[in-house]
Amino acid sequence: DGGITQSPKYLFRKEGQNVTLSCEQNLNHDAMYWYRQDPGQGLRLIYYSQIVNDFQKGDIAEGYSVSREKKESFPLTVTSAQKNPTAFYLCASSISHGTNTEAFFGQGTRLTVV
Amino acid sequence: GQSLEQPSEVTAVEGAIVQINCTYQTSGFYGLSWYQQHDGGAPTFLSYNALDGLEETGRFSSFLSRSDSYGYLLLQELQMKDSASYFCAVEGSNYQLIWGAGTKLIIKP
């Protein structure tokens, strides 16, 4: 079955440590996205990638980094520079980055900094 | 700035009809999408409107008025499983999706 997979579902991190969230898709989609969701709020774009080896900053990229070495994979690293990293992180993909593009989401990773 | 406004919470009765409104202010507009998200889950796509008018998909319909920068999601014959948060999202001038804060729909028996 085609889909988009995020792992792990729950992640605990000590303050000052970097952590990498995994996102893999087998939908053959060109575009991939990382969003952050805080309680009672909408989704805020961290980074997006339209094609392999290319990615762009979203609205809240500070303290995060990404790579897109393969079409299927778009990992997100939450660095120690991110001041408030505890949140629900959602990865999504779409056929292309443009109009009328339905986004397919992974099940999310809930990151807690302890 | 760019923003989308939708009610934070709506309550309805099982079997009834409910409308969730969304007004937007964005630089550029290509379309309005609606997504459903159950607690702790991932958003799932419901509908997309690029042109004015009503789009119907089963029990769900979505409406758009570009002149009023306004749209709504209409849910009919409400079922308990429809209890979720509903987000509107606008595709702006740079093709990125701008999201509303979401409307929590509470359904009572």
Side-chain angles (χ1 to χ4, degrees):
Chain A
D1 285 339
I4 181 164
T5 303
Q6 288 185 244
S7 61
K9 190 169 183 179
Y10 298 96
L11 188 57
F12 295 87
R13 184 196 99 177
K14 289 185 178 179
E15 246 183 89
Q17 290 180 338
N18 293 353
V19 63
T20 297
L21 282 59
S22 169
C23 179
E24 303 278 331
Q25 54 98 359
N26 60 2
L27 299 166
N28 199 33
H29 285 171
D30 286 317
M32 296 188 75
Y33 314 83
W34 273 105
Y35 290 96
R36 170 183 172 136
Q37 186 175 32
D38 293 288
Q41 296 190 30
L43 281 66
R44 292 186 289 167
L45 183 65
I46 305 172
Y47 269 97
Y48 66 98
S49 169
Q50 299 180 57
I51 198 167
V52 174
N53 292 322
D54 182 67
F55 49 83
Q56 306 293 330
K57 291 181 179 180
D59 299 321
I60 56 166
E62 186 175 348
Y64 300 97
S65 66
V66 294
S67 62
R68 187 86 187 276
E69 296 175 3
K70 299 187 299 181
K71 189 175 187 177
E72 302 80 16
S73 179
F74 192 40
L76 173 75
T77 297
V78 184
T79 75
S80 56
Q82 168 51 233
K83 289 182 170 51
N84 186 20
T86 294
F88 188 46
Y89 291 89
L90 284 159
C91 180
S93 70
S94 61
I95 291 175
S96 63
H97 188 68
T99 59
N100 195 14
T101 49
E102 176 184 345
F104 293 81
F105 285 83
Q107 288 303 306
T109 293
R110 196 167 296 278
L111 173 65
T112 303
V113 174
V114 297
Chain B
Q2 304 191 95
S3 65
L4 280 78
E5 296 289 331
Q6 51 181 131
S8 59
E9 190 174 291
V10 171
T11 301
V13 177
E14 193 176 11
I17 299 173
V18 72
Q19 178 173 314
I20 299 173
N21 299 321
C22 175
T23 57
Y24 58 88
Q25 183 177 355
T26 58
S27 56
F29 176 87
Y30 287 101
L32 178 70
S33 301
W34 288 93
Y35 285 77
Q36 178 192 61
Q37 185 181 31
H38 287 97
D39 279 347
T44 55
F45 176 81
L46 291 177
S47 68
Y48 177 84
N49 294 68
L51 302 175
D52 291 351
L54 191 68
E55 296 278 345
E56 297 181 65
T57 309
R59 295 187 296 115
F60 293 3
S61 304
S62 57
F63 171 83
L64 175 65
S65 168
R66 288 174 297 170
S67 60
D68 295 322
S69 298
Y70 163 76
Y72 66 72
L73 179 69
L74 190 73
L75 296 82
Q76 302 182 71
E77 300 171 19
L78 284 172
Q79 302 174 10
M80 296 304 293
K81 67 178 182 178
D82 297 329
S83 295
S85 291
Y86 292 84
F87 293 87
C88 57
V90 165
E91 212 160 1
S93 57
N94 59 357
Y95 299 118
Q96 290 186 32
L97 280 178
I98 304 157
W99 294 78
T103 299
K104 184 170 185 175
L105 175 60
I106 298 169
I107 300 174
K108 297 185 175 179

